[in-house]
Amino acid sequence: MDNLYEPLRQYLQQLATQGDLPLSFQYGFVVNALLCALFIGPLLGAVGTMVVTKRMAFFSQAIGNAAMTGVAIGVLLGESYTEPYVSMFVFCLLFALALNFTKQNSNLSADTLIGVFLSISLAVGASLLLFVSAKVNTHILEAVLFGSVLTVSDTDINILILVSVLVVAIGGPLFNQLLLTSLNPSLAAARGARVKLLEYIFVIIITVLTVACLKIVGAVLVEALLLIPAAAARNVISSMRGFVFLSMAIATISCFAGIMIPMEFDLPIPSGGAIVIVAAMFFIATTLIALLSSRYRGAGL
Amino acid sequence: MSTVHKALADTPGPALQLQQLSLSLGNTEVLQDISFAIKAGEVHCLIGPNGGGKTSLLRCLLGQMPHRGSIAIDYAQASVEAQQLTGYVPQQLHMDKTLPLTVNDFMAIACESRRPVFFGMSSAGKSISEQLLDRVGLGANKRRRPVGSLSGGERQRLLFAQAMIPRPSLLLLDEPLASLDQGGVQQIIELIAECSAQGTTIVWVAHELSLVKEVADSVSCISRQLHATGPVEEVLNNMDPDILYRPVSDYIEVEHG
């Protein structure tokens, strides 16, 4: 498995030493990071449009935080603390399903409920993780929150690609129904959508995507990439096609730029932070564009 | 349509039979013991005061409510090729007005279930959609506009258009004319008449009694309970018009008072 991406890395390294590509490509870890960005960018950018439309930003954050507990449990159960994928997936899925079930069957408003789950998962997860870290003497908490895109392993890449294929295969054909459900659930149901099931499927998609990206870019960054590119695109676009594609483009460019720029210019900024900064710049730019062309936008009010 | 000659329909829609339909939501009794029948291919209007349960009844017909009692939808009179398709025109869309969803996008997500909207519609779907949008009065200049920027009447026309794809055998309409101007009303009535001429069974929640007289074959007056049902002339001539204006809870008090 380790040699699957090696030919690609060597080829790119060669191009770098020849001067056809930036020098950073010499480093295998940079190529790995960019390979991940190629999947994470478009995927989070596309799924993010649905998260923003369905107002589930808060929900996805709760799942990201639940991962801390998942990792802690994984370490306690003896999984490797760099790749506790089984317990992360299992715990986060259970958490997400419990949250969605409660949301569908409770009288409390969604944001109250999610806030409660999020606070509990944050507190329990952080405590457990710190307890566990002390035993193994590493900074797991930071790794979960901020990831470490420059230390991805081939296993991480494999899981990411697998999850990407699953999300596209399952989520793609359901996109229209998901969107229609948020406009009028009754109409969606009349047109054949299984509304409650779709909610669960969407929650599962967010969860597996979050867990797959978590090790690479961290919980905070997954959240940022789900929201900021979609929000930036929404400022200036008025059709679904433009919305989804621009969001994917912004997310991908942000990932690439955030990885390459600190490397090329020797800046002491972690790549996760740089990615968010680039995405934020897109958001500020599109917000300004929207404000300045408000005489056009005004008709929509 | 009582005054329009209906050609013999090849594919009549279903007949409906409601028996003791009751619905409680939370602590409220929304519908009580409602029984009536709708013949295949009829245009049947539901009238009554606001809050009387008409929309809930439509949703019961869609199978979306935990109702008691029975609803039989009988396609027996339809020919074998007929598909059992139900079109639904809801009252409104609960959408963020700034959602980047154009009129074309909306038709795509409503009518093409598997092909994601951001890949555009298939060419067959697109041409059918455009024809219908033309018929409901949403011309080419409106197609790329965001749904959030449409007027109430334009949005209603859009909701009507999606119900026509594919052509339904049972059409359920929830106040489809509420925000329309005279021209819009005419356009939608023509489309409804066309559906009816093809044999579609139509159940229509209506407020405008003059229109009901013009287009309906039969009518039921619902205000939690069934207050009258039957051919349109008979019901409207014998009905106490106050029923339409009296709030639902008031009426029940009178019943027990």
Side-chain angles (χ1 to χ4, degrees):
Chain A
M1 266 298 178
D2 272 342
N3 292 324
L4 206 59
Y5 305 106
E6 203 45 41
L8 177 66
R9 280 193 282 267
Q10 284 175 355
Y11 174 64
L12 292 172
Q13 274 160 5
Q14 202 180 2
L15 287 178
T17 41
Q18 283 171 354
D20 293 327
L21 280 176
L23 279 174
S24 311
F25 278 80
Q26 276 183 330
Y27 302 109
F29 63 85
V30 171
V31 174
N32 281 351
L34 294 175
L35 200 53
C36 289
L38 209 55
F39 287 90
I40 291 179
L43 216 46
L44 290 182
V47 174
T49 60
M50 192 58 78
V51 170
V52 162
T53 300
K54 287 172 104 45
R55 302 186 180 203
M56 290 181 72
F58 209 18
F59 194 110
S60 59
Q61 187 174 359
I63 296 172
N65 290 336
M68 286 194 287
T69 312
V71 170
I73 292 178
V75 174
L76 284 171
L77 290 177
E79 276 197 274
S80 137
Y81 55 82
T82 49
E83 285 169 9
Y85 275 116
V86 174
S87 44
M88 268 211 291
F89 271 114
V90 170
F91 184 78
C92 287
L93 274 173
L94 289 175
F95 180 89
L97 293 172
L99 180 48
N100 195 50
F101 179 80
T102 315
K103 188 169 152 244
Q104 282 189 357
N105 296 300
S106 157
N107 287 329
L108 288 174
S109 76
D111 61 328
T112 304
L113 210 48
I114 297 169
V116 167
F117 270 69
L118 190 152
S119 314
I120 296 176
S121 76
L122 195 56
V124 169
S127 314
L128 261 179
L129 208 50
L130 286 168
F131 168 72
V132 158
S133 307
K135 297 207 163 231
V136 296
N137 208 25
T138 55
H139 302 290
I140 308 180
L141 185 57
E142 284 103 19
V144 172
L145 284 178
F146 301 111
S148 131
V149 70
L150 295 174
T151 61
V152 290
S153 68
D154 284 354
T155 311
D156 298 328
I157 300 178
N158 290 336
I159 293 190
L160 181 61
I161 294 180
L162 178 62
V163 167
S164 305
V165 168
L166 280 174
V167 168
V168 169
I170 297 177
L174 295 178
F175 191 94
N176 290 355
Q177 288 188 337
L178 277 168
L179 191 49
L180 191 60
T181 306
S182 59
L183 298 180
N184 189 317
S186 187
L187 176 59
R191 294 217 66 118
R194 302 186 55 185
V195 172
K196 291 210 163 169
L197 180 63
L198 277 178
E199 289 290 307
Y200 277 103
I201 293 179
F202 185 56
V203 161
I204 292 173
I205 287 178
I206 299 180
T207 306
V208 297
L209 199 50
T210 302
V211 171
C213 296
L214 203 87
K215 160 75 198 304
I216 305 167
V217 293
V220 173
L221 192 52
V222 172
E223 189 55 26
L225 285 173
L226 276 175
L227 299 184
I228 301 179
R234 200 166 144 146
N235 277 334
V236 292
I237 293 287
S238 53
S239 78
M240 278 316 290
R241 172 183 280 196
F243 184 32
V244 173
F245 288 152
L246 185 59
S247 179
M248 285 166 72
I250 291 176
T252 311
I253 295 172
S254 303
C255 285
F256 270 73
I259 293 168
M260 293 302 297
I261 292 177
M263 297 279 326
E264 287 294 307
F265 297 102
D266 227 352
L267 301 171
I269 309 176
S271 41
I275 292 174
V276 176
I277 291 173
V278 174
M281 278 166 34
F282 275 107
F283 178 74
I284 292 171
T286 60
T287 304
L288 285 174
I289 294 173
L291 282 173
L292 291 173
S293 60
S294 60
R295 59 180 165 82
Y296 165 73
R297 297 240 139 219
L301 280 172
Chain B
M1 316 271 287
S2 36
T3 54
V4 172
H5 170 66
K6 239 195 248 190
L8 262 179
D10 298 323
T11 54
L16 284 89
Q17 179 78 45
L18 281 72
Q19 295 273 38
Q20 295 175 306
L21 180 70
S22 300
L23 177 69
S24 305
L25 292 175
N27 291 330
T28 323
E29 186 99 63
V30 176
L31 295 168
Q32 255 175 9
D33 221 17
I34 301 202
S35 303
F36 64 91
I38 301 173
K39 299 201 190 86
E42 256 192 346
V43 176
H44 187 93
C45 281
L46 299 175
I47 58 177
N50 286 330
K54 306 188 294 295
T55 298
S56 300
L57 198 144
L58 271 192
R59 293 192 61 199
C60 287
L61 295 181
L62 284 166
Q64 293 176 8
M65 294 294 217
H67 62 259
R68 304 185 301 281
S70 76
I71 300 176
I73 302 183
D74 181 13
Y75 283 90
Q77 290 187 49
S79 70
V80 284
E81 296 96 59
Q83 294 190 46
Q84 300 178 2
L85 296 166
T86 304
Y88 174 47
V89 181
Q91 271 189 316
Q92 54 200 209
L93 289 172
H94 316 291
M95 63 179 283
D96 192 337
K97 288 205 190 315
T98 62
L99 182 66
L101 186 78
T102 61
V103 167
N104 282 339
D105 287 337
F106 179 80
M107 292 300 279
I109 64 171
C111 306
E112 272 198 87
S113 57
R114 296 263 165 249
R115 188 184 161 115
V117 57
F118 44 87
F119 287 151
M121 276 182 107
S122 63
S123 48
K126 202 156 184 214
S127 82
I128 296 178
S129 160
E130 283 178 358
Q131 273 174 36
L132 261 166
L133 288 172
D134 275 331
R135 299 287 312 278
V136 300
L138 287 170
N141 60 326
K142 302 267 180 160
R143 306 251 174 85
R144 293 226 172 96
R145 290 186 53 193
V147 175
S149 71
L150 295 178
S151 70
E154 286 169 335
R155 219 169 300 159
Q156 271 193 310
R157 297 176 198 223
L158 182 59
L159 285 173
F160 192 90
Q162 64 73 33
M164 296 289 114
I165 302 176
R167 188 69 74 153
S169 52
L170 172 63
L171 182 59
L172 305 176
L173 305 159
D174 200 346
E175 300 191 39
L177 308 175
S179 309
L180 291 175
D181 58 16
Q182 198 52 37
V185 167
Q186 271 313 112
Q187 267 175 324
I188 299 295
I189 296 241
E190 267 168 33
L191 281 166
I192 296 178
E194 214 178 274
C195 269
S196 176
Q198 290 180 352
T200 304
T201 306
I202 300 177
V203 184
W204 174 355
V205 172
H207 263 318
E208 316 80 356
L209 281 189
S210 55
L211 279 172
V212 173
K213 279 191 189 143
E214 197 185 306
V215 306
D217 296 315
S218 53
V219 83
S220 296
C221 180
I222 310 270
S223 176
R224 186 179 292 151
Q225 294 161 336
L226 182 67
H227 293 282
T229 187
V232 62
E233 296 286 337
E234 204 181 286
V235 170
L236 291 184
N237 290 338
N238 298 328
M239 193 180 68
D240 171 12
D242 270 355
I243 289 183
L244 293 181
Y245 306 108
R246 206 177 294 162
V248 181
S249 52
D250 264 17
Y251 195 90
I252 296 300
E253 256 151 52
V254 168
E255 278 276 290
H256 294 159

